[in-house]
Amino acid sequence: LPARVIEANPLYDLTAGKITDQKLPEIPRDNLRLSEQLGQGAFGEVYKGFLSGMSGTEREVAVAVKTLPPLCNEQTELDFFMEAYIIRKFNHPNIVRLLGVCFDDHPRYIVLELLAGGNLKSFLQESRPSENKPSNLIINDLVDLARDIAAGCSYLEKNHFIHRDIAARNCLLTTKGPERVAKLADFGMSRDVYRSDYYRKEGRAFLPIKWMPPEAFTEGIFTTKTDVWSYGVVLWEIFSMGCMPYPGLNNTEVMNFLHIGGRLVAPHSCPQPLYELMLSCWMHRAEERPDFDYILQTLNTISQDTATMLQHPPLVQIPPLC
Ligand SMILES: C[C@@H](Oc1cc(-c2cccc(S(C)(=O)=O)c2)cnc1N)c1cc(F)ccc1N1NC=CN1
């Protein structure tokens, strides 16, 4: 591989030139059966699939399979591998599980646990109240979703891992039913189904400007406080039931708006303590933003102390949501 690929990926030397890494469990291709396509990822298609021969169970397990198109360059191949390697390192109920890889041949596969509730943003949009139908969600359901994601982020913070792309589009649900659990499920900074959320910066990487703090898009500074800012935007996405942040503004207008101290307004029927938590995540100075432990504690307090207030379903929206 050319040198630039090697130094660009510190991981490369650990794999001693091989693409596979013994820590990634290799899944025999015959055990994997792909079915319908779930959507288009950054690298290639993502399919629903069925995995057999898992530790003793005869039954097939439903999985999600990320595919890498056969014709791609080494950098893409390594990025694909890197995402699997990263996910494999994590072990938390609010982070998607990696079941294994098929890296022995092309097309390469990454096999993930199937989060059959689909992505959080779509779920919120589908759950909006309408004139003749109040939402099936109550505010406490939204707080539970917020707590799930905050728990996943807190785990990353403890492991000094900066996600760089915390957003509702990158969070998935185990199911749409009341026992739903939300998980961080995309670590590739991948330009998934919501491609339009990424801003092409001088032809280089796409950047999710609307989820980034000023120090990130002006100076390229990424710390755990970057993820805290993004998490604040996810809180806003949750309580606005899946609206696009800064509706009507393009990325450049958002950067200018933030620069003059502008911030997202409180979503309709959002409890004040939650809006205050969002605002604390959007402090201009990164060190003044809370850490995820504080965020988790605050959400737990809100969930317990005001359970009665939270029992109300999200009020039927008078103004159109967004
Ligand atoms: C890679 C992919 O992973 C998954 C998607 C779905 C999944 C995605 C959509 C619908 C359903 S479904 C039919 O079970 O409701 C399941 C379920 N489980 C996954 N592990 C993914 C992870 C994310 F964090 C965000 C979006 C996607 N994609 N990529 C392409 C489409 N979504």
Side-chain angles (χ1 to χ4, degrees), residues 38-41 46 64 66 96 112-118 169-172 185-186 192-193:
L38 293 174
Q40 186 68 33
V46 180
K66 285 188 100 161
V96 69
L112 301 166
E113 73 171 301
L114 180 74
L115 295 169
R169 64 180 168 275
N170 290 331
C171 299
L172 295 175
D186 187 292
D192 250 339
V193 286

Side-chain angles (χ1 to χ4, degrees), residues 61-72:
V61 173
V63 292
V65 183
K66 285 188 100 161
T67 66
L68 184 67
L71 306 173
C72 69

Side-chain angles (χ1 to χ4, degrees), residues 29-30 37 51 54 72 81 106 122 134 140 158 195 199 221 223 236 254 262 284 290 320:
R29 274 165 206 274
D30 333 21
Q37 184 171 333
L51 181 60
M54 288 282 284
C72 69
F81 167 78
H106 287 282
S122 313
N140 223 357
K158 283 186 183 55
R195 182 187 296 272
Y199 170 83
I221 296 174
T223 67
W236 187 91
V254 169
H284 183 80

Side-chain angles (χ1 to χ4, degrees), residues 227-295:
D227 286 346
V228 168
W229 177 293
S230 306
Y231 177 79
V233 180
V234 171
L235 271 182
W236 187 91
E237 291 186 277
I238 291 174
F239 285 88
S240 68
M241 306 293 282
C243 284
M244 168 61 81
Y246 313 94
L249 297 193
N250 66 35
N251 287 321
T252 307
E253 289 161 338
V254 169
M255 291 191 274
N256 298 330
F257 178 64
L258 291 174
H259 184 65
I260 59 173
R263 291 296 184 269
L264 288 162
V265 296
H268 194 278
S269 72
C270 173
Q272 188 54 22
L274 278 156
Y275 185 55
E276 282 161 10
L277 183 60
M278 293 179 207
L279 288 173
S280 71
C281 295
W282 303 327
M283 295 298 278
H284 183 80
R285 295 163 54 82
E287 58 276 9
E288 290 176 18
R289 296 169 205 156
D291 62 19
F292 282 107
D293 269 353
Y294 176 84
I295 290 171

